[in-house]
C-alpha cells in the first residue's frame, strides 16, 4: 500500500470513521473499542490505566469532543498523517487532532493519535 497513490478524499474516507470511533469510545471510556484499530506498538503505550487517566483528565478540563474539521493530509509511501481542527464542549479555542494511519496485514491501523 502506497499512501501517495491515494487522494486526500480517499484517505479521509478511511480515517474519519476510525477517528470518530476513537473519540466516541473515549467519551464512553470504552477501552476495547478505543484501541481496536491500534497497532501493537500503540496498544503497548495506551494501556487501560493510561487510557482511563487521560479520559478523566480531558473530560474534566475540556469536556467532550465536539466538531472536527479536516485541515491537512500528509501522504508518505507507508503512512498518512491527518490533521483536524478540533473543538471541545467546555474549553474555548481551537485544538489539533492528529492521526498517523498505516496499512498492514490487509487493513488500516492507527500508529499514532493525539489531541492537543
Amino acid at each position: 500500500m502506497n499512501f501517495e497513490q491515494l487522494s486526500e478524499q480517499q484517505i479521509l474516507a478511511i480515517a474519519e470513521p476510525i477517528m470518530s470511533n476513537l473519540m466516541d469510545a473515549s467519551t464512553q471510556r470504552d477501552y476495547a473499542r478505543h484501541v481496536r484499530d491500534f497497532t501493537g506498538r500503540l496498544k503497548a503505550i495506551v494501556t487501560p490505566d493510561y487510557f482511563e487517566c487521560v479520559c478523566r483528565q480531558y473530560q474534566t478540563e475540556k469536556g467532550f469532543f465536539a466538531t472536527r474539521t479536516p485541515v491537512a493530509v500528509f501522504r508518505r509511501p507507508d503512512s498518512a498523517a491527518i490533521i483536524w481542527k478540533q473543538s471541545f464542549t467546555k474549553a474555548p479555542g481551537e485544538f489539533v487532532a492528529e492521526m498517523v494511519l498505516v496499512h498492514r496485514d490487509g487493513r488500516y491501523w492507527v500508529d499514532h493519535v493525539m489531541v492537543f
Side-chain angles (χ1 to χ4, degrees):
M1 160 66 55
N2 184 339
F3 283 88
E4 292 177 312
Q5 295 175 349
L6 298 177
S7 70
E8 286 189 10
Q9 294 76 21
Q10 288 173 308
I11 293 170
L12 285 170
I14 297 161
E16 286 284 359
I18 293 172
M19 185 60 111
S20 293
N21 174 69
L22 288 170
M23 292 188 163
D24 185 55
S26 173
T27 297
Q28 301 300 319
R29 296 190 187 180
D30 182 341
Y31 175 79
R33 190 162 58 98
H34 183 74
V35 302
R36 78 176 183 203
D37 297 309
F38 281 12
T39 61
R41 185 195 73 77
L42 189 54
K43 277 184 187 175
I45 295 167
V46 183
T47 64
D49 289 340
Y50 178 78
F51 171 75
E52 184 59 35
C53 179
V54 168
C55 290
R56 188 178 321 110
Q57 181 179 2
Y58 88 75
Q59 289 176 8
T60 299
E61 294 174 4
K62 296 178 180 83
F64 299 102
F65 296 112
T67 58
R68 182 177 76 242
T69 307
V71 173
V73 175
F74 299 91
R75 291 171 291 197
R76 308 170 195 152
D78 62 348
S79 65
I82 303 96
I83 308 295
W84 291 270
K85 184 187 303 184
Q86 179 68 51
S87 63
F88 285 91
T89 57
K90 287 175 29 179
E94 300 173 332
F95 295 82
V96 175
E98 65 84 16
M99 170 194 291
V100 174
L101 195 63
V102 297
H103 187 266
R104 296 183 187 144
D105 302 321
R107 65 173 284 201
Y108 294 97
W109 300 94
V110 177
D111 197 47
H112 190 271
V113 65
M114 182 180 291
V115 178
F116 56 95

